[in-house]
Amino acid sequence: EAGVTQFPSHSVIEKGQTVTLRCDPISGHDNLYWYRRVMGKEIKFLLHFVKESKQDESGMPNNRFLAERTGGTYSTLKVQPAELEDSGVYFCASSLTNSPLHFGNGTRLTVT
Amino acid sequence: GQNIDQPTEMTATEGAIVQINCTYQTSGFNGLFWYQQHAGEAPTFLSYNVLDGLEEKGRFSSFLSRSKGYSYLLLKELQMKDSASYLCAAYSGAGSYQLTFGKGTKLSVIP
């Protein structure tokens, strides 16, 4: 069974640019989550999809972040325009209902 | 809100036993996860405790006391490959399945 895959693994962009991160969950997992870890801090929840619907987006930092999951399969997280404080590792995770989360390897975003 | 505390770093000897503690303060609590994360890799699921007591799974065991807001992860017969960060995460269970993570404990296993 393929795990959660994320693309790209690394991204370096300049402040003000746009970046789109992609996550492919494990096949059949209705639940998809985005988390973020900034330097020196703990992993923090961003949002949760159930199929194509946003179940909880209380962790999204501001309106520069837009997550989509059209069709209920893969998801994208767009940051526009990127700021320096957006640097960190962005993790995607997926799960079946009432089951443990399976994480991807993350996308390391560096904003310069 | 939720607050998770765990030691930043620990060192233990190959073949020994190590216990990683985690305390939590939460406004809503429905369970406690432990994840292992090697550098540059995905956090991988180790255990999930909902009820008080000890859950054993091979060399790894996890304990939960809901009344004390306390959990620990016990690793036996340590191997060099167990060197990793161990993340404690509380699950609110309040509709959304979001986890609140601690900063992680970096375990170094030495010969």
Side-chain angles (χ1 to χ4, degrees):
Chain A
E1 173 184 83
V4 176
T5 56
Q6 294 186 243
F7 181 84
S9 57
H10 293 81
S11 180
V12 181
I13 62 172
E14 292 183 355
K15 176 182 172 181
Q17 290 185 320
T18 298
V19 63
T20 300
L21 314 181
R22 173 172 171 140
C23 169
D24 286 80
I26 293 173
S27 178
H29 282 194
D30 286 343
N31 295 284
L32 186 149
Y33 311 80
W34 284 98
Y35 284 80
R36 176 175 74 168
R37 185 170 200 166
V38 298
M39 183 75 74
K41 299 283 186 70
E42 64 274 23
I43 297 174
K44 284 195 172 179
F45 169 83
L46 295 178
L47 89 160
H48 169 209
F49 284 100
V50 177
K51 297 184 180 179
E52 67 276 9
S53 299
K54 291 177 184 175
Q55 176 77 9
D56 181 352
E57 52 184 330
S58 61
M60 294 288 264
N62 52 61
N63 59 9
R64 294 186 294 103
F65 290 75
L66 175 64
E68 295 180 318
R69 193 184 182 195
T70 307
T73 53
Y74 72 91
S75 175
T76 58
L77 179 65
K78 181 190 289 188
V79 185
Q80 179 183 31
E83 298 289 345
L84 298 178
E85 64 264 26
D86 300 333
S87 296
V89 181
Y90 289 77
F91 290 101
C92 177
S94 72
S95 75
L96 297 170
T97 302
N98 293 325
S99 294
L101 275 62
H102 297 264
F103 284 83
N105 285 341
T107 293
R108 181 174 294 278
L109 175 64
T110 302
V111 182
T112 62
Chain B
Q2 301 192 348
N3 187 49
I4 313 290
D5 286 312
Q6 53 182 131
T8 304
E9 293 184 52
M10 298 182 73
T11 301
T13 305
E14 190 176 15
I17 299 173
V18 70
Q19 178 174 311
I20 302 174
N21 296 324
C22 171
T23 58
Y24 61 90
Q25 295 171 307
T26 63
S27 56
F29 177 81
N30 208 38
L32 199 286
F33 284 88
W34 283 96
Y35 279 83
Q36 179 193 61
Q37 186 180 22
H38 288 96
E41 297 183 8
T44 54
F45 169 75
L46 290 178
S47 67
Y48 177 45
N49 293 68
V50 178
L51 302 175
D52 286 0
L54 188 68
E55 295 274 346
E56 297 187 75
K57 193 183 293 185
R59 295 190 298 115
F60 292 4
S61 303
S62 57
F63 172 84
L64 176 66
S65 168
R66 296 176 72 123
S67 62
K68 295 181 179 178
Y70 167 68
S71 173
Y72 67 72
L73 180 69
L74 193 71
L75 293 77
K76 302 175 187 175
E77 301 169 17
L78 280 173
Q79 302 175 9
M80 300 299 289
K81 67 178 182 179
D82 297 330
S83 293
S85 285
Y86 291 85
L87 307 171
C88 173
Y91 165 47
S92 67
S96 172
Y97 294 94
Q98 62 170 283
L99 300 179
T100 301
F101 282 89
K103 289 187 177 182
T105 299
K106 184 177 179 182
L107 174 66
S108 298
V109 180
I110 59 176

